[in-house]
Amino acid sequence: ALGAALGRSACALAAVTDLGLARAVVDRLAGENPAEYAGAAERLRVKAERAAQRREKKNAGETRRDRPVRGPVQYNRKRNKK
């Protein structure tokens, strides 16, 4: 499907790192060929839901950054005595 869209007769491959764009591409492919792409569309839907939950949690201030910060670690160094 991707090769035909790009005007190629051979197989084509694309790496999409943006979750929203990847989901849009796979949803479109699933609309054209549900038997082949429905599983991938479902996995990306679940990933998008989890990402949204992490964003909500981050925006609510429930992150590790809200915990008290410990001071620097103190090391006991042995010094060379002369």
Side-chain angles (χ1 to χ4, degrees):
L2 184 58
L6 297 174
R8 300 279 186 184
S9 59
C11 178
L13 176 75
V16 181
T17 59
D18 180 73
L19 183 58
L21 181 59
R23 187 171 177 200
V25 169
V26 172
D27 284 345
R28 181 79 180 250
L29 290 171
E32 293 178 11
N33 189 352
E36 189 170 345
Y37 297 104
E42 177 62 20
R43 286 192 303 272
L44 283 175
R45 184 192 62 78
V46 170
K47 275 188 144 197
E49 285 178 2
R50 289 180 182 161
Q53 289 172 352
R54 286 192 301 270
R55 272 194 306 275
E56 289 174 9
K57 184 177 178 181
K58 181 180 178 183
N59 292 337
E62 300 174 13
T63 63
R64 292 180 61 189
R65 292 182 204 147
D66 294 335
R67 296 180 189 162
V69 177
R70 291 186 282 170
V73 176
Q74 300 293 323
Y75 294 102
N76 295 325
R77 293 191 212 170
K78 293 183 181 179
R79 297 184 180 208
N80 294 335
K81 295 181 181 178
K82 292 186 177 184

